[in-house]
Amino acid sequence: MKNIRNFCIIAHIDHGKSTLADRLLESTQTISDRDKKDQLLDDMDLERERGITIKSHAIQMVYKNGEGEFTLNLIDTPGHVDFSYEVSRAIAACEGALLVVDAAQGIQAQTISNLYLALEHDLEIIPVLNKIDLPSANPEEVKDQIIDLIGCDESDIIPASAKTGMGISEILEAVVQRIPAPVGDPDAPLQALIFDSVYNPYRGIEAFFKVVNGRIRSGEAVKFMATGHQYGADEIGVLRLKQEPRKEISAGNVGYIISGIKQAKEVKVGDTITAMEKPAKEAIAGFENVKPMVFAGIYPVDTEDFEELRASLEKLQLNDASLTFEPESSAALGFGFRCGFLGMLHMEIVQERLEREFDMTVITTVPNVSYRAYLKKNPEKEIIINNPSEFPDPSTLDHIEEPYIKAQIITKSDYVGGIMNLCIEKRGILKNQVYLTSERVELSFDLPLTEIVFDFYDRLKTISRGYASLDYHPLGYRETEMVKVDIMLNGDPVDALSALIHRDNAYDLGKKMCEKLRELIPRQQFMIAIQAAIGAKIIARETLSALRKDVTAKCYGGDISRKRKLLEKQKAGKKRMRQVGNVEIPQQAFLAVLKLND
């Protein structure tokens, strides 16, 4: 065990984490020249294009120096806030972390939040100043930021450039010298922490774990403690570039297990594996069931593709256990699914993967979060509302609660005013304001999650010209005044456009939606009333006038009563048409509601 080192890399998006991992693998000769490619650990095209890590990876390297041969397990983590639980479990499997900071951009929000996670788990932090070869790099100022943040000496910071390979040998030496070896008892009952899983179409789910205590042997019967399921360890091994089977993996090391599991939801990140023969008394602390935070309806553009969409979502769920879905139907959009996501990025990724991997073009309804409602007749019992159609009758409602988050925004001091206005407009409460340097400010707000899922991130980037970085974590539920705004066309509600919204913003949103629909709905032969309503009360109205045919064109001269007779006949026809005519809502109307503030 004294020659094992488990570490992860903490960095904000686009600070060079994947490139640094590539250089470490090359330097330790884990990959041959033939296998070399950029962003080796990022498998998906989407990850490469966006420069983000969506699915975490683990890989084992062997590093030799004068003291001997060391096994280094790099447990790569996603960088985005949506995946913060997965990041926390990967961090729990490590003893040290490389804190990678871009010498040109400085410290940003996700760097800080993942750093706090690492410090909570008592990880040894090795600061790395990356991209030092850039002409725009400002190493002295960024070094001061790192020293202020973690209280290290300047000599502890390793200057590096993942692109040119500078500083890589110093980083590897620091990993061996500074990061402690794992502690654990190889002879104790088996306790192994699952930090990730991946679906293999031929062999089922492969779970990746770190053995905390004891040892796991190939072929023995094991039990997953959170789910209570029992399996046989058909194959275990270590994670090199290709998986290498082993007979036994003991405390401190990282490996994979294949046991013929078919369903991704049977393997939960953070679960503990123990042996059936000599089980551990308790599981490793910190396990949680991941709960979706954002909900949206996903519908096929063509209703006939409903079963195909179901099959595509089921296949996606094999790779992504945090995606949840259940069938629902809408009068306007037909049959589809109500899906739960970890956050807005997760929702975008699922949508993009449906289009790329399964050729499914889908319509996504307005995203919303889950609320808790309490009724007057039984104020103790909570009702979970994931969909505006589930909203109870306001007369029976005692009160409603919505989820809040703690948002940390790091920005340049020039943009503080604009960002504060945006957060206060979104019902935010300023909690703290800290100047990290004379130029950089950290703002802490308590914000309702509802306000974040709409267009907050885009507007934050616009106000700050791309400089602000956002990170958030849940705070729990607080009482609020939510109302259901219905959109009606000629008195018929369009359920796909109804939204749950705070009472203060309801009038404004209702008016904007009516105006937008008036622009987008094609004119008919009859008049269309577009209304927004809260319950029975109409709060906004727009009228789309009828396309009129000039029926009096054939009357030239003659008595006025002839014209009047034709106009009265037309009026009666329009009235009849309005009663039986139904209004087709174009596809872009549903998408436009998502971008009301543009």
Side-chain angles (χ1 to χ4, degrees):
M1 271 172 73
K2 68 178 192 300
N3 282 14
I4 296 175
R5 300 287 182 273
N6 301 319
F7 70 101
C8 60
I9 303 176
I10 294 172
H12 190 80
I13 289 171
D14 203 29
H15 279 206
K17 181 172 72 157
S18 296
T19 316
L20 180 66
D22 291 349
R23 295 296 157 273
L24 294 174
L25 295 173
E26 281 171 24
S27 182
T28 54
Q29 287 156 6
T30 306
I31 51 171
S32 62
D33 291 344
R34 197 174 64 178
D35 294 323
K36 253 183 217 174
K37 63 178 178 182
D38 287 344
Q39 291 164 269
L40 186 84
L41 294 181
D42 293 344
D43 296 341
M44 286 182 230
D45 295 341
L46 208 57
E47 291 182 311
R48 292 164 174 279
E49 280 169 30
R50 292 192 177 205
I52 55 176
T53 302
I54 296 166
K55 193 90 182 90
S56 61
H57 294 268
I59 195 160
Q60 191 177 90
M61 302 172 264
V62 175
Y63 172 67
K64 298 185 180 82
N65 67 2
E67 295 171 34
E69 191 173 281
F70 291 87
T71 301
L72 310 183
N73 289 309
L74 165 60
I75 298 169
D76 192 15
T77 59
H80 199 273
V81 288
D82 285 3
F83 309 109
S84 56
Y85 173 67
E86 289 174 31
V87 175
S88 79
R89 295 300 84 207
I91 284 174
C94 301
E95 282 79 40
L98 298 179
L99 174 69
V100 178
V101 181
D102 186 325
Q105 294 180 48
I107 284 168
Q108 292 187 302
Q110 280 158 28
T111 323
I112 291 185
S113 75
N114 287 347
L115 173 70
Y116 288 159
L117 267 179
L119 292 172
E120 272 173 38
H121 288 91
D122 291 334
L123 264 61
E124 179 65 39
I125 308 293
I126 300 174
V128 176
L129 192 59
N130 196 19
K131 303 194 185 182
I132 204 152
D133 58 322
L134 286 182
S136 56
N138 192 349
E140 294 312 315
E141 189 185 315
V142 179
K143 270 184 185 173
D144 291 342
Q145 290 179 20
I146 295 172
I147 291 165
D148 286 349
L149 183 66
I150 59 174
C152 62
D153 295 329
E154 193 173 329
S155 58
D156 294 340
I157 300 169
I158 302 171
S161 165
K163 190 171 159 190
T164 61
M166 173 192 161
I168 299 299
S169 53
E170 287 86 345
I171 292 171
L172 285 166
E173 196 55 41
V175 166
V176 169
Q177 300 303 336
R178 292 199 224 166
I179 293 176
V183 289
D185 181 359
D187 301 317
L190 171 66
Q191 278 180 312
L193 170 73
I194 298 176
F195 60 82
D196 194 17
S197 66
V198 66
Y199 177 70
N200 178 329
Y202 303 106
R203 312 193 64 181
I205 305 290
E206 300 169 358
F208 302 149
F209 60 82
K210 179 206 173 185
V211 182
V212 178
N213 286 313
R215 53 190 82 213
I216 184 166
R217 294 177 181 84
S218 177
E220 75 176 333
V222 293
K223 178 181 174 184
F224 290 17
M225 293 177 86
T227 58
H229 292 305
Q230 297 171 16
Y231 306 102
D234 300 340
E235 181 180 310
I236 59 166
V238 293
L239 297 149
R240 292 291 176 84
L241 192 58
K242 304 248 185 322
Q243 293 172 342
E244 291 184 7
R246 293 278 190 273
K247 287 272 184 283
E248 178 180 286
I249 297 174
S250 65
N253 216 338
V254 172
Y256 69 90
I257 178 170
I258 297 173
S259 43
I261 302 168
K262 301 286 187 292
Q263 298 264 323
K265 47 178 166 287
E266 288 183 33
V267 180
K268 295 185 185 292
V269 171
D271 198 352
T272 305
I273 304 175
T274 190
M276 289 296 295
E277 198 178 304
K278 192 175 150 192
K281 289 189 172 61
E282 56 191 39
I284 297 161
F287 170 73
E288 286 172 30
N289 274 313
V290 184
K291 294 183 186 73
M293 299 288 280
V294 174
F295 294 86
I298 288 187
Y299 293 84
V301 171
D302 191 343
T303 324
E304 291 168 5
D305 296 338
F306 173 72
E307 283 304 326
E308 206 177 315
L309 178 61
R310 183 201 293 273
S312 305
L313 283 168
E314 281 170 356
K315 283 178 189 160
L316 259 189
Q317 204 178 34
L318 290 171
N319 281 312
D320 185 354
S322 45
L323 168 69
T324 61
F325 64 91
E326 55 187 41
E328 71 166 1
S329 64
S330 143
L333 297 171
F335 291 104
F337 294 94
R338 187 91 194 146
C339 301
F341 309 96
L342 297 175
M344 290 304 284
L345 177 83
H346 190 211
M347 179 173 135
E348 264 181 63
I349 287 163
V350 167
Q351 222 175 320
E352 191 108 357
R353 286 183 70 184
L354 281 171
E355 285 185 18
R356 286 181 182 215
E357 295 172 26
F358 305 101
D359 290 332
M360 290 296 309
T361 321
V362 293
I363 302 171
T364 310
T365 62
V366 183
N368 67 307
V369 301
S370 58
Y371 302 92
R372 290 177 181 168
Y374 297 86
L375 303 181
K376 285 176 184 166
K377 62 180 181 190
N378 190 359
E380 299 300 310
K381 189 184 175 205
E382 65 177 47
I383 300 166
I384 304 287
I385 302 167
N386 294 331
N387 191 341
S389 62
E390 296 167 4
F391 196 74
D393 179 6
S395 60
T396 64
L397 199 62
D398 182 56
H399 69 277
I400 192 163
E401 293 179 350
E402 67 176 330
Y404 265 71
I405 55 151
K406 185 179 181 63
Q408 286 172 300
I409 300 166
I410 294 182
T411 180
K412 281 195 162 180
S413 46
D414 310 0
Y415 309 118
V416 169
I419 289 171
M420 279 194 172
N421 285 342
L422 171 68
C423 292
I424 289 161
E425 179 196 321
K426 297 284 191 184
R427 300 189 283 128
I429 304 156
L430 179 66
K431 286 294 181 185
N432 201 357
Q433 179 178 353
V434 181
Y435 276 80
L436 302 170
T437 67
S438 58
E439 282 288 296
R440 297 171 81 77
V441 189
E442 182 185 359
L443 301 169
S444 295
F445 276 91
D446 285 3
L447 279 159
L449 185 61
T450 326
E451 303 288 349
I452 293 275
V453 300
F454 218 48
D455 57 355
F456 181 82
Y457 194 67
D458 296 346
R459 286 181 64 194
L460 177 71
K461 286 289 183 194
T462 310
I463 289 167
S464 65
R465 299 188 188 162
Y467 274 108
S469 55
L470 166 75
D471 186 72
Y472 62 83
H473 57 264
L475 281 178
Y477 282 75
R478 296 182 187 177
E479 198 169 323
T480 184
E481 278 213 41
M482 302 305 284
V483 291
K484 181 185 174 192
V485 176
D486 284 314
I487 300 293
M488 299 193 292
L489 299 179
N490 284 348
D492 296 329
V494 182
D495 57 349
L497 290 176
S498 56
L500 291 174
I501 203 95
H502 194 265
R503 191 179 287 279
D504 297 352
N505 304 339
Y507 293 89
D508 194 29
L509 180 95
K511 191 170 186 309
K512 279 185 183 170
M513 281 172 99
C514 290
E515 285 169 359
K516 198 79 175 174
L517 287 170
R518 186 181 164 203
E519 290 168 25
L520 291 166
I521 293 174
R523 285 173 70 190
Q524 308 285 336
Q525 297 257 323
F526 51 91
M527 188 183 80
I528 301 170
I530 304 165
Q531 295 167 308
I534 298 174
K537 185 181 177 187
I538 305 295
I539 57 169
R541 172 178 171 134
E542 292 286 330
T543 306
L544 195 62
S545 55
L547 276 171
R548 293 184 77 88
K549 185 176 162 192
D550 189 359
V551 289
T552 59
K554 60 187 175 189
C555 296
Y556 40 92
D559 188 9
I560 186 72
S561 60
R562 286 181 63 202
K563 286 187 177 179
R564 193 169 292 134
K565 184 180 167 189
L566 285 168
L567 289 168
E568 288 295 329
K569 192 177 172 188
Q570 184 188 33
K571 191 175 170 184
K574 295 266 182 234
K575 190 177 174 186
R576 198 165 58 246
M577 203 187 274
R578 189 179 165 189
Q579 285 169 347
V580 296
N582 61 350
V583 185
E584 284 287 311
I585 302 175
Q587 168 113 31
Q588 68 259 39
F590 295 106
L591 306 175
V593 174
L594 299 174
K595 300 185 172 69
L596 277 179
N597 281 327
D598 285 7

